[in-house]
Amino acid sequence: MTNNDQQQAAAVEAAADGRGGLSQSELDELVASSDTGGRSVGGPIGTLLMLVALAWSLFQLYIASPFGLFNDTLARSIHLGFAVFLGIMAFPAARTKFQVALGIIVPLALAALFMVAAKQGIATWWIPLPAIGVAATVILGSPKDRVPIWEWALAIIGALAALYLFLFYREIANRVGAPITQDYVVAVIGILILLEATRRALGPALMIVASVFLLYTVLGPNMPSIIAHKGNSLSEIVNHQWITTEGVFGIALGVSTSFVFLFVLFGSLLDRAGAGNYFIQVAFSLMGHMKGGPAKAAVVASAMTGLISGSSIANVVTTGTFTIPLMKKVGFSSEKAGAVEVASSVNGQIMPPVMGAAAFLMVEYVGIPYFDVVKHAFLPAVISYIALVYIVHLEALKAGMQGLPRAYTPKPIVQRLIGIAFAIAAICVLSFVVYYGMGWIRPAFPETASYIIFAFLTIVYVALLYVASKEEPLKLDDPNDEVTSLPMPGPTARSGLHFILPVVVLVWALMVDRLSPGLSAFWASAYMIFILLTQRPLMAIFRGESKLASDIKDGFLDLIDGLVTGARNMIGIGIATATAGIIVGAVSQTGVGSALADVVEVLSGGNILAILALTAVLSLILGMGLPTTANYIVVSALLAPVIVTLGQQNGLIVPLIAVHLFVFYFGIMADVTPPVGLASFAAAAVSGGDPIKTGVVAFFYSLRTAALPFLFIFNTELLLINVGWGQGIFVFVVATFAMLLFAAATQGWFLAKNRFYETIALLLVAFTLFRPGFWMDMVSPPYDEVAPTEITQAAADTMPGNDLRLRVAGVNDLGDPIEFVAILPIGEGATGEEKLEAAGLLFREDGNKMIIDDVGFDSAAQNAGLDWDQEVLRVLKPVSQPTKYIMFIPALLLLALVVFLQRGRNGRPVREPQAA
């Protein structure tokens, strides 16, 4: 998310003046200034910018399609060209005096730095000229209603610099590593203008961080010894950062080009078709009658909206303008109403399949399929949302709130349960028919299967649209009006079932056909285009209100608007991934990652919990100014390998996906955390509450999100790693129950208001349910230590399928001494020697030492990190241990005691002062 100080100040002023929040036009301006550009230009120039954004969307659809054969590097160059051009044109130069000063100082400072780096006799007199040009555009300023000539020049030059790899691809390919003067000029200009576009679109933080890394790249020899390096010349920087795909045009920009744009575009098209409104109405019809119902509906609506939106602030303002006033109406204070919306909207970024673009970056960084990323991320996201619904329920209990009146008299509970059971059964039958029917169509009609499937989807779409046409059109009522009843659940759900079809297409392509994320999003977007063009005409025909030409025109305009909005939503992400590439490139060029590992190890004392805490704090600090995607890229590049390495040295084998999800979770927490969290300011602008208090309450509501990463680092079952279906369901039920208890402890209310010892007891129970093995390992250790010379006997005693843990000492790739724990799977064999040889290990004894003499190529031993000449320091062999789930018994007994104590007390609700 972006950092817009002026809009934050407006929100604070609105709350302080008691105006009850910003007007709708001011809220729209807040979203525009932070997500899609603060400049509103009309006339021919506005039309031109709209056409550029439209061209960007069409280009991305083309390269993602099966027909778009396009070189990845060329596509990244064009992608960045569009992003830089629109970033300069859509965002005015001047915001605050501080940002203006940075916009002047940073380019000039970088020009001086580049002159210092030019060590090979390169003429440097020209380097200050582009820096002066960038600074001059900031000094001259730019209005919000027009684009001055100097900004046209800056935008065009920046776009041409980004397009340099596209325009001169063949020539550059023939001189990689030997840049010419032209390369120097374009790279310097491109980096300076990219950083200025970053300052405009995303605030100063990311620009400052990237500039610091450039400074570190040049001045390495002058740094403290622990992080010093040889330093890099301008030739090396130009080649690494701009001419090759190691820096700006690296993996992050590639993911933005190949995957992210299409998913953002898909969400924009789906929202333009009316899906956002549909999700909100369905959530209210189903949950609005419960205690604190509007708040629970806000959580569910935000979760559904988060499926198609990667923007926290847009989610807050889209759903919040409707949900926050209704939450206040049933008894929530302004701050708590805003905090519920913030906590639920921000968590939209952890909800697969989009996950604020991080899912696609994880595919590249972790090196696992997209399906696996979604599988690992799904459970924590669902648990987090269920816990937030429970937190809202606790708040309602505290204040004795009631829900909104139903629109109908509910059936007896038995009839409702029977109806739900029949609905679930029908869905299951339909799913089996579709799955196996599709499985039969593809082999039976290999050439025409796609056309048959499209025809089938079209028939279903027309049928669902016919059903929807018989219901009243959905509309967002004014939440400030008196609410007499909620919408009927059945008619509301039926009025938009056709919006589910594009999501089905997307999920099917990703999960069943296992297409690439980009191609899956293309087919889903293509189907959304079909819906946008046909939805209005068909609906009007079914209702007998058809004006065919007008309806087709309106559908076409909806499509154009969705394509343009999707491109404008991508400006910040495209620029952020490119600028984060500077940081990633500096890390790989300087080797600061290994140096940082030493720093972190010194600061943490080698303790894995301390390392995780440092990583969490760094993510929160960086996230205060960086958009979530850039924050994730930076912190994962710096600290993810450090956590894995130091965890292994401490005997904790941490899967790489768990570390990346850990970093990402704390990155999104920064959107909530005071004093910067922009989502909290946006919610306060709607509610009229104090933004800092809103942020504080939202932070406490989000503690469950902060706890989950620590838990799944130590209990990877939460990420469904090496877990079957049956165990996965068991883990989900237990973990959800544990998170509800954690929420009750942190909110100070379970069945009644908690006493301090009850809160401690609830935390203990929750921790035990999450990590029963922690206590069981203390009661019955899972391993026995034996002498290294007895490793053969230890292997003989170990059953096939179990692991030996070996602590070994050796040297790393740089020749530095290291110690780490290796997990060695034991296979079949009659003797210990045969089992070790099958694992790829041969040993030699040197006195009392056991030295690895040989490691088989691509063996289990090599995959565990073992190498020849390493010394085995300790051997841990597994021993039989009672099931760790025995620890649930004392935990549940302690929970029963808390229930007994609280049921005996008066749980009368405590009413809070109502908002004015």
Side-chain angles (χ1 to χ4, degrees):
M1 281 300 95
T2 58
N3 180 10
N4 191 314
D5 300 329
Q6 292 175 341
Q7 293 298 330
Q8 290 181 3
V12 176
E13 181 185 351
D17 289 348
R19 288 187 274 135
L22 299 178
S23 68
Q24 185 60 49
S25 62
E26 290 172 312
L27 290 170
D28 292 341
E29 185 181 351
L30 175 60
V31 176
S33 63
S34 58
D35 277 348
T36 59
R39 181 179 274 140
S40 178
V41 184
I45 304 302
T47 302
L48 175 63
L49 295 181
M50 183 270 289
L51 291 175
V52 172
L54 178 62
W56 192 10
S57 287
L58 294 176
F59 166 74
Q60 295 290 159
L61 283 169
Y62 167 71
I63 65 172
S65 72
F67 325 106
L69 302 177
F70 218 80
N71 181 291
D72 284 346
T73 303
L74 302 183
R76 295 176 192 184
S77 177
I78 296 172
H79 180 83
L80 183 59
F82 276 115
V84 170
F85 179 82
L86 291 173
I88 298 293
M89 299 294 282
F91 292 88
R95 288 185 172 187
T96 64
K97 292 180 180 178
F98 172 67
Q99 288 208 33
V100 170
L102 284 175
I104 298 169
I105 294 170
V106 170
L108 298 175
L110 286 177
L113 181 72
F114 290 146
M115 293 179 76
V116 170
K119 301 175 181 177
Q120 294 137 332
I122 302 163
T124 59
W125 60 268
W126 56 269
I127 293 179
L129 297 181
I132 292 171
V134 171
T137 63
V138 178
I139 294 171
L140 291 170
S142 53
K144 289 188 175 182
D145 57 350
R146 61 185 179 86
V147 183
I149 187 65
W150 52 86
E151 299 220 308
W152 276 100
L154 191 68
I156 292 171
I157 293 171
L160 289 175
L163 289 168
Y164 184 62
L165 266 66
F166 171 76
L167 298 173
F168 296 93
Y169 180 75
R170 194 174 300 277
E171 294 88 338
I172 291 171
N174 292 328
R175 61 167 187 269
V176 173
I180 61 176
T181 302
Q182 179 177 290
D183 297 339
Y184 288 108
V185 173
V186 172
V188 169
I189 291 174
I191 289 173
L192 292 173
I193 295 181
L194 174 61
L195 291 174
E196 169 60 13
T198 303
R199 183 191 68 84
R200 293 172 181 234
L202 304 165
L206 183 56
M207 179 190 74
I208 292 172
V209 174
S211 301
V212 168
F213 273 86
L214 286 173
L215 180 73
Y216 174 72
T217 303
V218 175
L219 302 181
N222 306 108
M223 295 291 159
S225 59
I226 195 169
I227 59 170
H229 66 97
K230 69 178 182 63
N232 296 99
S233 67
L234 184 59
S235 173
E236 293 168 331
I237 293 172
V238 164
N239 187 68
H240 197 80
Q241 295 285 10
W242 203 264
I243 303 303
T244 67
T245 55
E246 297 294 326
V248 170
F249 297 96
I251 289 175
L253 186 64
V255 170
S256 176
T257 306
S258 304
F259 306 149
V260 179
F261 192 105
L262 266 295
F263 277 83
V264 171
L265 181 62
F266 172 70
S268 174
L269 294 173
L270 195 57
D271 185 62
R272 191 68 190 88
N277 178 19
Y278 173 71
F279 289 154
I280 294 173
Q281 293 280 24
V282 168
F284 267 86
S285 69
L286 294 175
M287 305 191 72
H289 64 281
M290 300 177 181
K291 291 181 181 293
K296 294 174 181 174
V299 175
V300 175
S302 294
M304 291 190 291
T305 306
L307 292 172
I308 61 173
S309 169
S311 168
S312 297
I313 187 171
N315 200 344
V316 166
V317 175
T318 300
T319 59
T321 50
F322 188 74
T323 59
I324 289 175
L326 288 176
M327 281 190 265
K328 292 171 65 178
K329 190 169 294 184
V330 297
F332 280 85
S333 67
S334 297
E335 286 75 21
K336 286 189 176 181
V340 169
E341 184 58 48
V342 169
S344 54
S345 294
V346 169
N347 269 24
Q349 291 193 73
I350 67 174
M351 198 73 180
V354 179
M355 292 174 61
F360 314 111
L361 289 162
M362 288 179 196
V363 169
E364 299 296 326
Y365 288 155
V366 183
I368 61 177
Y370 176 81
F371 175 83
D372 289 345
V373 172
V374 171
K375 180 183 76 173
H376 297 321
F378 179 73
L379 206 60
V382 173
I383 291 172
S384 184
Y385 266 110
I386 291 173
L388 184 57
V389 171
Y390 183 61
I391 288 172
V392 168
H393 180 71
L394 293 176
E395 291 288 358
L397 288 178
K398 291 180 191 178
M401 298 177 191
Q402 298 300 319
L404 298 171
R406 291 179 186 263
Y408 67 102
T409 302
K411 296 178 181 177
I413 184 66
V414 175
Q415 291 187 25
R416 278 188 282 167
L417 289 175
I418 293 173
I420 292 171
F422 273 111
I424 293 174
I427 292 172
C428 291
V429 170
L430 181 62
S431 300
F432 277 108
V433 169
V434 170
Y435 182 81
Y436 289 105
M438 294 291 187
W440 172 78
I441 288 172
R442 289 196 179 280
F445 306 96
E447 300 295 329
T448 58
S450 298
Y451 300 102
I452 295 172
I453 292 170
F454 176 75
F456 172 73
L457 283 173
T458 302
I459 293 171
V460 175
Y461 163 64
V462 173
L464 291 177
L465 209 58
Y466 177 78
V467 171
S469 68
K470 303 306 177 185
E471 309 297 343
E472 287 294 322
L474 282 180
K475 62 181 186 298
L476 278 178
D477 301 321
D478 186 348
N480 295 303
D481 290 345
E482 186 65 28
V483 179
T484 56
S485 65
L486 291 165
M488 292 282 288
T492 303
R494 290 193 294 271
S495 66
L497 286 174
H498 57 286
F499 293 133
I500 307 299
L501 286 178
V503 179
V504 171
V505 171
L506 176 63
V507 173
W508 183 277
L510 285 170
M511 306 299 180
V512 180
D513 282 349
R514 297 294 182 95
L515 301 179
S516 70
L519 190 56
S520 301
F522 167 78
W523 288 119
S525 299
Y527 200 72
M528 260 322 306
I529 291 172
F530 170 71
I531 288 178
L532 276 168
L533 290 175
T534 58
Q535 176 181 241
R536 286 178 181 269
L538 288 175
M539 189 75 79
I541 290 172
F542 291 146
R543 287 178 175 154
E545 305 169 351
S546 177
K547 298 178 181 177
L548 190 60
S550 176
D551 293 332
I552 292 175
K553 178 185 175 183
D554 289 342
F556 183 76
L557 292 176
D558 285 343
L559 171 61
I560 297 297
D561 186 62
L563 292 171
V564 171
T565 302
R568 290 180 69 95
N569 287 341
M570 270 300 300
I571 296 172
I573 296 176
I575 291 173
T577 52
T579 308
I582 294 177
I583 300 166
V584 175
V587 171
S588 63
Q589 190 172 27
T590 61
V592 68
S594 58
L596 194 65
D598 295 336
V599 174
V600 170
E601 188 170 17
V602 169
L603 292 175
S604 64
N607 184 283
I608 187 66
L609 268 177
I611 294 168
L612 293 173
L614 284 171
T615 304
V617 170
L618 179 62
S619 297
L620 287 173
I621 292 172
L622 286 176
M624 289 182 182
L626 271 61
T628 305
T629 308
N631 183 10
Y632 163 69
I633 294 169
V634 173
V635 181
S636 63
L638 290 173
L639 290 179
V642 176
I643 295 174
V644 172
T645 301
L646 295 183
Q648 191 178 24
Q649 292 176 12
N650 283 269
L652 178 67
I653 308 302
V654 185
L656 193 56
I657 182 64
V659 178
H660 280 259
L661 285 171
F662 181 93
V663 168
F664 178 61
Y665 267 57
F666 278 98
I668 69 164
M669 282 290 292
D671 275 347
V672 178
T673 310
V676 175
L678 184 56
S680 300
F681 282 87
V686 179
S687 69
D690 181 271
I692 299 299
K693 289 182 180 178
T694 300
V696 171
V697 177
F699 178 78
F700 279 100
Y701 287 169
S702 300
L703 281 176
R704 78 215 183 283
T705 306
L708 275 170
F710 284 96
L711 294 167
F712 61 58
I713 285 286
F714 293 98
N715 182 6
T716 56
E717 288 181 348
L718 286 171
L719 302 180
L720 300 180
I721 295 176
N722 299 324
V723 170
W725 280 102
Q727 190 180 1
I729 294 171
F730 175 74
V731 168
F732 170 68
V733 172
V734 172
T736 301
F737 184 55
M739 185 52 70
L740 298 183
L741 295 177
F742 177 81
T746 55
Q747 294 304 305
W749 191 283
F750 185 38
L751 302 180
K753 186 176 181 180
N754 295 344
R755 291 172 178 160
F756 78 92
Y757 52 84
E758 293 170 341
T759 295
I760 295 172
L762 288 172
L763 289 173
L764 278 173
V765 173
F767 177 76
T768 303
L769 294 178
F770 273 121
R771 279 205 69 202
F774 178 82
W775 304 112
M776 181 54 70
D777 291 349
M778 296 175 66
V779 174
S780 174
Y783 295 96
D784 271 348
E785 183 173 354
V786 299
T789 53
E790 298 177 17
I791 188 172
T792 303
Q793 184 59 45
D797 295 340
T798 302
M799 296 295 292
N802 290 332
D803 303 321
L804 282 180
R805 290 190 167 226
L806 311 179
R807 186 163 192 88
V808 300
V811 294
N812 61 16
D813 294 338
L814 301 176
D816 297 325
I818 58 167
E819 286 187 16
F820 66 95
V821 174
I823 296 181
L824 182 67
I826 296 298
E828 298 290 340
T831 65
E833 290 89 345
E834 291 179 1
K835 290 181 177 180
L836 290 174
E837 189 172 347
L841 276 181
L842 291 177
F843 291 94
R844 71 175 188 271
E845 289 193 42
D846 185 3
N848 292 326
K849 296 181 179 179
M850 184 64 73
I851 307 298
I852 297 176
D853 195 41
D854 190 26
V855 176
F857 176 73
D858 199 28
S859 63
Q862 187 183 60
N863 294 334
L866 298 174
D867 204 351
W868 60 280
D869 271 359
Q870 291 175 340
E871 179 187 355
V872 179
L873 303 177
R874 296 173 63 198
V875 177
L876 297 175
K877 70 173 183 178
V879 295
S880 60
Q881 184 187 40
T883 175
K884 61 184 178 181
Y885 299 118
I886 290 177
M887 290 299 160
F888 285 177
I889 296 174
L892 294 177
L893 289 174
L894 182 59
L895 177 63
L897 177 61
V898 174
V899 171
F900 175 77
L901 292 173
Q902 293 207 352
R903 288 192 66 180
R905 292 206 307 272
N906 180 11
R908 187 178 63 240
V910 180
R911 290 196 174 272
E912 297 186 5
Q914 298 297 304

